[in-house]
Amino acid sequence: MSLVMGAMASAAVGTAAQLGVADVLAQGPATAPELAKAVDADADSLGSVLQALTALGVFTRDEQGRYANSPLSEPLRSDHPESVRNLAALLCGLYGHAATGGLTEAVRTGTSVMPTAFGVSLYEYLDQHPDSARIFDRAMEDWARPIGTVLAEHVPFAGVRTVVDVGGGNGTLLKAILTAHPHLRGVCVDRPDTCRRAEAELAASGSADLADRLTFQPADILHEVPAGGDLYILKNVLHDWSSESGVQILRNIRRAVVPEGATPTEDSSKLLVIDPLVEHDSGAAFRNLVKMVVGEAQARERSEADMRREAKEAGFHVLSITPCPADLSITACTPV
Ligand SMILES: C[S@@+](CC[C@H](N)C(=O)[O-])C[C@H]1O[C@@H](n2cnc3c(N)ncnc32)[C@H](O)[C@@H]1O
């Protein structure tokens, strides 16, 4: 029954994340009415959600009925270094909503869940719902934050001038890399809507140095990837697409790296594909379900062999595959 009630637990976590309950509790314990006032919610309804989450160990409750954060709810705080607040809001909210509404039908028909549940693909939905799109951008930020630091430390950037992050969201990864390597410039390629929001946020952040070195370039990566990078990164993008579309994206990067008719040389730009690969991903089974919910039909997590085959089809040779934190693997590729 605890599995059967899982959707309720997930929805309750998502509600606490979205309302920012853990942020309020970071200032000290509070009763349900006090919390409801702070997050603009109904006290009785919020009380029910808090009681359920306390039963699950997410919050604690003392004899005076005051709730407090526990180690489980700490990462739901916006300012936690490993915050998953927006990831929880997205996965327990929009993704959960889609899964409960459309998974059965999508399994029957072999289609993607999102269009079955909402009539549109994930990105069409985000284009139409700016509030969800903002949560999505920030959720990707939660996802990208840990790996940004790892890349900044371990990738040799000495000979690189411009890094292009393909499908780079709001530029979180590039911000970490550019902050650690002041000689670098970054180009974040994403959908026009995402670029517009990210550009405005960067301008408002007051970081003149980053605003000077980081640019956002709108493009449809299924059709074209801008040239001009010494190093290309493709993180958490490939597994959202079928093998056919994945190869198309990789071919577009190959075309950006080696112009039509030219021959690759030792100095040609390299590509790092950063995605979970089945062999090194402890959560592969569930992540594949997420792909079914929000990815293109037939989007699946790749194995090492899939990765090598798709890279080869697109004109790349795989130099190395390195497992790294957060269940991700880095596949380093060079054009052939
Ligand atoms: C799963 S997110 C990953 C974001 C980022 N790379 C990260 O790891 O945090 C996929 C990204 O691809 C972008 N994207 C999806 N379809 C695209 C397209 N056709 N052209 C350009 N960007 C696209 C989305 O807007 C989103 O930012």
Side-chain angles (χ1 to χ4, degrees), residues 276-282 284 288 301-304 306 329:
L277 294 179
V278 178
E279 290 88 342
H280 313 291
D281 178 8
S282 59
N288 260 338
E301 190 164 305
R302 271 63 171 171
S303 64
E304 285 200 9
D306 294 332
S329 294

Side-chain angles (χ1 to χ4, degrees), residues 123 136 140 164-171 173 187-191 194 217 219 221 225 233-237 249 253:
Y123 294 114
F136 178 87
M140 294 308 116
V164 179
D165 191 0
V166 181
N170 68 0
L173 197 68
V187 179
C188 184
V189 181
D190 211 285
R191 297 176 305 114
T194 310
Q217 189 153 341
I221 60 175
V225 169
I233 295 178
L234 184 69
K235 175 182 168 296
N236 276 108
V237 172
I249 292 170
I253 298 176

Side-chain angles (χ1 to χ4, degrees), residues 160-248:
V160 177
R161 285 157 299 161
T162 303
V163 184
V164 179
D165 191 0
V166 181
N170 68 0
T172 300
L173 197 68
L174 281 174
K175 285 176 194 167
I177 294 171
L178 266 55
T179 302
H181 298 277
H183 73 284
L184 288 176
R185 304 191 77 80
V187 179
C188 184
V189 181
D190 211 285
R191 297 176 305 114
D193 190 40
T194 310
C195 288
R196 244 190 325 271
R197 276 192 308 276
E199 223 163 24
E201 270 183 23
L202 180 57
S205 74
S207 170
D209 173 46
L210 270 186
D212 175 47
R213 292 190 290 133
L214 175 57
T215 50
F216 290 90
Q217 189 153 341
D220 180 353
I221 60 175
L222 287 165
H223 289 106
E224 190 188 11
V225 169
D230 307 297
L231 178 71
Y232 282 73
I233 295 178
L234 184 69
K235 175 182 168 296
N236 276 108
V237 172
L238 215 51
H239 64 170
D240 284 340
W241 300 97
S242 65
S243 180
E244 195 185 353
S245 301
V247 169
Q248 188 56 48

